[in-house]
């Protein structure tokens, strides 16, 4: 692990944001294409029912193993780790058998016109998930040794290939859209797996040649003399030399903790889709409309907060030791990690507040530009998007604080928290079901807000206890300055006036006024955070000088 962990984490977050922007742009264009060409029901079957099957299989089969194996990678016995990560394949296989049976025989049926394509879609999703698990050993190595650009490039190729194949097949035969979706899933999963293996089949021999030279001349191979893999076969179970047990007991225990945690987290993350799927609360058409608004409202979370959360989790797992009190840990690492957490809190609360303030005045505008008049004739989508803007603040706070909690908890604490998460999940599902019956789709968002507030409260309690007898107070980053709050209040008032005055007569004038106040808000925030921006700029300059 010769590469700088913080630098690599920041780089991964930056590239991930770019990737998420590209992915979401493709998704939105694709959704519009599906709705205009094929109708809402097809979009509901694919985006809610089938993608929920894929999400459930992949998350439960790989997330616990991957999180456990990413913990303290510097001291890994890689032979044991590779053996452990390959367990994701039989787990995915068993999950596929159970879940496909449920999706085909237990859940509410689809219309007869889509039935055969739907069956083929379920089988194809399961097969593509199993294929994807075959690359998890390489994905683990890619993340552990900070092959940031490789992962982003291959993920981008995966999305582009899947989209291209789907669109081509639909253009050829619009009535087989679900079948085209299934074929695209399988082919793109195969291409992704082959790409990973081909890269390391090329990289490992070239790394050997590079290490024999006295002078280094390639950033791709620098600082990788401790790379433990000497052949592409080492990525397969039982191939590396190993004098110890086949599996690491500590990692197995940690995996079990993460398994229970992942099961609960999956319910919390995809709870509204499970409620939609299991109960006849909404039709496929209504589900597709909710999904469109939900994705649109989650732009910031997917573009910015999720990459930051993933990178922060990896960073904190390397900098903060589990089961060791703060006072007994490396002072420099603890000090740096506390400062990073404080700065992250400051950044995400600022983003969340900006989105909330401007979202109240520009939800109608955004939906109108995206879907046209038909999408905003009913004010429900506008109401949903406004509620989403509030949920984004909670989502931002929860993502970073809970990521820190999961990265630093001991095994016993993780086990205890799993029971708390079970309680949160049960309450969330009950509240979602009840509020959806009473309030419709808005009930899903309100239930999510209640759930996130509960999790945030727990995370705050854990972080305060962790730093109780130390000089560090990272949660102070969640307190914006009075200048920033003032400019947000002014912006909120003025953009609301603009919406009432110009929206119906000149939408571009309304957008222009919003742009002015948005720029003013960014300027005030930048002046408040000059030191943080200076650190980022200095790191960028040093990186450019190295090149």
């Amino acid at each position: 692990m010769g590469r700088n962990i913080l630098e690599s984490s920041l780089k991964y977050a930056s590239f991930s944001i770019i990737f998420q922007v590209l992915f979401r742009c493709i998704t939105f264009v694709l959704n519009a294409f599906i709705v205009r060409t094929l109708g809402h029901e097809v979009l509901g079957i694919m985006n809610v029912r089938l993608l929920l099957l894929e999400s459930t299989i992949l998350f439960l089969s790989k997330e616990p193993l991957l999180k456990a194996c990413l913990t303290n990678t510097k001291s890994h016995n890689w032979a044991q780790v590779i053996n452990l990560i390959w367990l994701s394949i039989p787990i995915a296989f068993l999950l596929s058998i159970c879940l496909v049976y449920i999706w085909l025989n237990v859940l509410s049926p689809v219309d007869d016109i889509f039935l055969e394509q739907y069956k083929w879609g379920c089988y194809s999703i399961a097969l593509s998930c199993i294929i994807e698990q075959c690359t998890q050993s390489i994905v683990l190595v890619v993340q552990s040794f900070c092959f940031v650009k490789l992962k982003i490039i291959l993920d981008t190729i995966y999305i582009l290939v899947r989209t291209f194949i789907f669109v081509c097949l639909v253009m050829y035969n619009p009535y087989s859209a679900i079948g085209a979706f299934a074929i695209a899933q399988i082919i793109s999963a195969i291409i992704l797996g082959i790409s990973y293996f081909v890269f390391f089949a090329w990289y490992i021999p070239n790394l050997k040649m590079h290490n024999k030279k006295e002078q280094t001349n390639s950033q791709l191979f620098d600082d990788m003399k401790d790379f433990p893999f000497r052949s592409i076969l080492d990525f397969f179970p039982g191939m590396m030399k190993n004098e110890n047990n086949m599996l690491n007991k500590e990692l197995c225990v940690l995996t079990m903790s993460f398994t229970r945690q992942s099961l609960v987290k999956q319910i919390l993350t995809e709870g509204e889709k499970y409620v939609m799927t299991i109960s006849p609360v909404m039709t496929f058409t209504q589900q597709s409309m909710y999904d469109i608004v939900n994705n649109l409202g989650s732009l910031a979370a997917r573009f910015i907060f999720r990459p930051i959360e993933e990178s922060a989790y990896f960073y904190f797992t390397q900098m903060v030791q589990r089961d060791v009190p703060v006072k007994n840990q490396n002072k420099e690492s603890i000090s740096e990690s506390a400062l990073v957490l404080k700065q992250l809190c400051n950044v995400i609360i600022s983003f969340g507040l900006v989105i909330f303030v401007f979202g109240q005045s520009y939800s109608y505008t955004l939906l109108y530009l995206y879907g046209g008049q038909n999408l905003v004739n009913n004010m429900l989508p506008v109401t949903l998007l406004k509620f989403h803007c509030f949920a984004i603040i909670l989502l931002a706070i929860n993502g970073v604080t809970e990521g820190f909690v999961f990265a630093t908890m001991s095994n016993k604490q993780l086990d205890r928290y799993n029971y708390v998460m079970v309680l949160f999940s049960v309450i969330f599902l009950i509240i979602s079901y009840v509020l959806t019956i009473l309030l419709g789709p808005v009930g899903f968002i309100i239930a999510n807000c209640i759930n996130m507030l509960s999790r945030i409260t727990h995370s705050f309690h854990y972080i305060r206890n962790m730093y109780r007898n130390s000089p560090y107070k990272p949660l102070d980053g969640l307190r914006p300055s009075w200048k920033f709050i003032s400019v947000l209040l002014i912006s909120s008032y003025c953009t609301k006036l603009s919406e009432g005055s110009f929206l119906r007569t000149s939408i571009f004038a309304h957008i222009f006024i919003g742009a002015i106040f948005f720029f003013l808000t960014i300027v005030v925030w930048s002046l408040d955070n000059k030191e943080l921006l200076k650190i980022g700029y200095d790191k960028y300059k040093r990186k450019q000088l190295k090149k």
Side-chain angles (χ1 to χ4, degrees):
M1 295 290 292
R3 300 183 182 186
N4 183 275
I5 294 169
L6 177 58
E7 181 181 347
S8 297
S9 298
L10 292 172
K11 186 187 295 184
Y12 178 72
S14 303
F15 280 112
S16 293
I17 291 171
I18 297 171
F19 169 73
Q20 290 291 343
V21 170
L22 174 64
F23 175 61
R24 285 298 130 190
C25 289
I26 293 172
T27 301
F28 284 129
V29 173
L30 193 60
N31 285 349
F33 168 76
I34 294 170
V35 170
R36 295 168 188 263
T37 307
L38 307 169
H40 292 81
E41 189 169 3
V42 172
L43 183 64
I45 293 172
M46 291 191 302
N47 278 16
V48 178
R49 183 69 67 85
L50 292 180
L51 287 184
L52 181 62
L53 175 62
E54 179 189 44
S55 169
T56 305
I57 295 173
L58 285 180
F59 193 86
L60 296 182
S61 60
K62 75 175 182 180
E63 186 75 5
L65 291 165
L66 197 58
K67 276 194 170 182
C69 292
L70 280 173
T71 301
N72 195 19
T73 55
K74 289 180 284 188
S75 60
H76 272 341
N77 178 328
W78 278 101
Q80 294 177 334
V81 172
I82 294 298
N83 292 338
L84 180 62
I85 199 69
W86 271 90
L87 292 178
S88 62
I89 295 178
I91 293 172
F93 181 75
L94 293 174
L95 282 171
S96 297
I97 293 174
C98 298
L99 292 175
V100 168
Y101 177 82
I102 293 172
W103 255 243
L104 293 178
N105 299 287
V106 178
L107 301 181
S108 57
V110 301
D111 290 344
D112 291 341
I113 190 173
F114 300 119
L115 184 57
E116 289 302 318
Q117 292 186 64
Y118 173 68
K119 288 181 179 179
W120 165 236
C122 289
Y123 292 131
S124 300
I125 288 291
L127 179 59
S128 67
C129 289
I130 294 170
I131 293 171
E132 189 169 334
Q133 297 311 304
C134 295
T135 63
Q136 283 310 299
S137 59
I138 294 186
V139 171
L140 171 65
V141 172
V142 165
Q143 290 188 239
S144 299
F145 289 90
C146 305
F147 288 89
V148 176
K149 293 181 181 178
L150 173 67
K151 189 174 190 304
I152 297 300
I153 289 171
L154 293 187
D155 284 349
T156 303
I157 292 173
Y158 170 73
I159 295 300
L160 293 176
V161 168
R162 189 175 70 178
T163 304
F164 178 76
I165 294 172
F166 173 76
V167 172
C168 289
L169 292 175
V170 169
M171 294 296 289
Y172 177 74
N173 185 1
Y175 299 102
S176 62
I178 299 174
F181 176 79
I183 293 171
Q185 290 286 124
I186 294 176
I187 295 177
S188 56
I190 293 172
I191 291 175
L192 179 67
I194 292 174
S195 300
Y196 271 120
F197 280 102
V198 167
F199 173 82
F200 280 99
W202 166 84
Y203 179 83
I204 292 173
N206 281 274
L207 177 63
K208 292 178 182 178
M209 293 176 59
H210 176 83
N211 289 339
K212 292 178 181 178
K213 298 179 181 179
E214 293 183 359
Q215 294 182 346
T216 59
N217 54 11
S218 173
Q219 187 178 0
L220 182 62
F221 301 106
D222 286 347
D223 301 324
M224 296 300 287
K225 293 180 180 179
D226 58 345
F227 194 66
F229 301 91
R230 298 293 175 258
S231 166
I232 192 66
L233 295 177
D234 287 348
F235 292 106
F236 292 89
M239 299 304 295
M240 294 184 74
K241 292 182 179 180
N242 180 27
E243 298 178 357
N244 300 316
N245 297 326
M246 290 290 291
L247 298 175
N248 184 302
K249 291 183 180 179
E250 291 183 3
L251 288 182
C252 289
V253 172
L254 191 59
T255 299
M256 293 303 298
S257 298
F258 279 124
T259 299
R260 293 188 288 271
Q261 180 193 106
S262 296
L263 179 62
V264 176
K265 189 174 181 180
Q266 176 68 5
I267 295 173
L268 293 173
T269 304
E270 302 283 11
E272 68 269 18
K273 290 187 178 180
Y274 286 117
V275 173
M276 290 180 194
T277 300
I278 295 171
S279 63
V281 175
M282 299 167 65
T283 65
F284 280 119
T285 298
Q286 292 172 322
Q287 290 176 24
S288 69
M289 294 305 297
Y290 174 83
D291 186 65
I292 289 173
V293 175
N294 183 47
N295 285 331
L296 196 61
S298 302
L299 276 173
R302 297 177 189 276
F303 286 176
I304 301 170
F305 300 141
R306 184 171 294 176
I308 289 174
E309 179 186 347
E310 291 175 354
S311 298
Y313 174 82
F314 175 71
Y315 169 75
F316 290 128
T317 57
Q318 310 306 307
M319 299 297 290
V320 182
Q321 299 178 43
R322 300 181 191 270
D323 296 310
V324 179
V326 170
K327 62 182 180 180
N328 296 334
Q329 297 200 35
N330 182 281
K331 290 184 179 181
E332 291 184 5
S333 296
I334 285 295
S335 176
E336 181 185 308
S337 60
L339 178 61
V340 168
L341 179 58
K342 182 178 180 178
Q343 291 172 340
L344 282 175
C345 287
N346 176 267
V347 170
I348 54 100
I349 191 65
S350 302
F351 271 120
L353 289 172
V354 168
I355 291 166
F356 172 72
V357 166
F358 286 90
Q360 303 311 302
S361 301
Y362 288 90
S363 291
Y364 182 97
T365 305
L366 183 60
L367 288 169
Y368 176 78
L369 293 175
Y370 176 68
Q373 190 64 45
N374 290 334
L375 190 58
V376 293
N377 279 336
N378 185 340
M379 288 301 292
L380 177 61
V382 180
T383 304
L384 284 173
L385 193 53
K386 288 181 178 181
F387 272 88
H388 263 297
C389 291
F390 174 72
I392 284 171
I393 299 177
L394 302 179
L395 188 66
I397 298 171
N398 181 67
V400 169
T401 55
E402 195 171 67
F404 177 84
V405 168
F406 289 157
T408 58
M409 270 185 170
S410 66
N411 289 337
K412 290 183 179 180
Q413 289 172 321
L414 281 172
D415 287 336
R416 285 198 298 268
Y417 188 48
N418 286 332
Y419 294 109
V420 177
M421 291 279 277
V422 169
L423 179 62
F424 287 164
S425 300
V426 172
I427 295 173
F428 169 66
L429 292 176
I430 294 172
I431 292 175
S432 294
Y433 188 79
V434 173
L435 290 181
T436 303
I437 293 174
L438 296 175
L439 304 174
V442 173
F444 280 127
I445 304 173
I446 295 175
N448 265 319
C449 290
I450 296 171
N451 167 51
M452 282 186 286
L453 278 170
S454 303
R455 292 161 65 180
I456 288 169
T457 301
H458 175 273
S459 297
F460 281 7
H461 178 71
Y462 171 86
I463 294 170
R464 286 197 182 101
N465 280 344
M466 181 174 176
Y467 290 104
R468 176 172 292 173
N469 298 318
S470 72
Y472 311 114
K473 299 186 182 298
L475 293 180
D476 286 352
L478 292 172
R479 298 174 183 172
S481 70
W482 65 268
K483 293 180 184 177
F484 184 64
I485 294 297
S486 299
V487 76
L488 285 177
L489 291 174
I490 294 170
S491 298
S492 176
Y493 178 75
C494 293
T495 52
K496 269 297 178 185
L497 284 180
S498 172
E499 184 179 33
S501 304
F502 298 111
L503 183 60
R504 304 294 179 179
T505 57
S506 176
I507 192 171
F508 292 106
H510 178 49
I511 294 173
F512 178 73
I513 291 172
I516 292 173
F517 282 98
F518 179 79
F519 177 75
L520 179 63
T521 302
I522 296 301
V523 169
V524 172
W525 184 86
S526 300
L527 292 173
D528 275 346
N529 295 272
K530 288 184 289 187
E531 291 184 6
L532 177 60
L533 294 176
K534 186 177 183 301
I535 292 172
Y537 180 71
D538 289 342
K539 284 184 175 293
Y540 174 77
K541 282 185 66 176
R542 286 198 297 269
K543 182 180 176 182
Q544 293 299 114
L545 289 173
K546 288 180 181 178
K547 292 181 179 180

